[in-house]
Amino acid sequence: MSEQLLSRSSDLELVHIRKRIEQLNIDYQALKSERHQLAEWEEDQTFSILGEIEMFTTQIQGYAHQILSQNIRSSIEETIQHLKSIKLFEIDYFSDWYFAENNDYTQLKRYVEAQDYLRLLLLEYLNQTQLHPVVQ
């Protein structure tokens, strides 16, 4: 693939990442009611689903903003490894809550899925960047 095509592909991926972040920010605002409802439910729990979601979101959004500003604070390989290790669905109490048979928190669950999709987009972008660095 030529450098020009790689550069264009990279630019399109960055636009897609930026649009995902913008949509997630809008979606987050719409979750106020479900977040409040979940916070009330969690008062009787020994864990925090909302806390896990917030940490997950903060980490992914942080990496996304670093990538968009082209200011990755660690090596690309370290960033890839950390993004691979952020697996919200592997936390037992989170997956129990997420896959519970009730249909509560549908918007919040979609938001988590969208955040995970952004995580995968970032991984794809970084893997491509690592394989085909774009010379500017």
Side-chain angles (χ1 to χ4, degrees):
M1 203 181 286
S2 75
E3 283 185 32
Q4 186 177 17
L5 284 176
L6 284 172
S7 178
R8 178 162 162 60
S9 174
S10 176
D11 290 346
L12 290 174
E13 288 172 345
L14 290 174
V15 167
H16 188 65
I17 290 169
R18 184 173 289 110
K19 287 184 185 235
R20 276 269 135 203
I21 292 170
E22 291 169 1
Q23 185 59 54
L24 283 164
N25 290 338
I26 292 167
D27 293 347
Y28 185 80
Q29 298 306 316
L31 296 171
K32 187 174 184 176
S33 173
E34 282 192 12
R35 289 192 333 259
H36 180 70
Q37 180 184 355
L38 182 58
E40 287 179 352
W41 175 79
E42 287 183 334
E43 288 178 2
D44 298 330
Q45 306 301 317
T46 58
F47 51 82
S48 175
I49 300 298
L50 202 51
E52 292 295 343
I53 292 170
E54 295 292 334
M55 287 181 4
F56 185 69
T57 297
T58 300
Q59 290 180 42
I60 293 169
Q61 294 270 339
Y63 281 122
H65 288 289
Q66 286 179 36
I67 288 168
L68 290 174
S69 68
Q70 298 179 347
N71 186 22
I72 297 177
R73 294 188 180 101
S74 55
S75 75
I76 290 177
E77 185 56 39
E78 286 175 22
T79 303
I80 289 170
Q81 291 310 312
H82 190 248
L83 281 168
K84 284 181 179 179
S85 75
I86 305 171
K87 296 180 179 174
L88 191 57
F89 293 96
E90 289 186 2
I91 300 170
D92 290 337
Y93 61 83
F94 179 84
S95 60
D96 289 346
W97 168 81
Y98 183 88
F99 293 110
E101 293 198 22
N102 62 29
N103 288 323
D104 295 341
Y105 312 107
T106 55
Q107 289 180 312
L108 193 53
K109 289 177 180 181
R110 273 184 268 168
Y111 177 78
V112 169
E113 292 167 1
Q115 282 291 352
D116 198 45
Y117 177 69
L118 176 59
R119 180 182 71 87
L120 297 173
L121 283 175
L122 299 175
L123 279 168
E124 178 66 23
Y125 175 80
L126 291 171
N127 280 318
Q128 290 302 317
T129 301
Q130 193 174 37
L131 291 174
H132 308 286
V134 177
V135 179
Q136 297 188 4

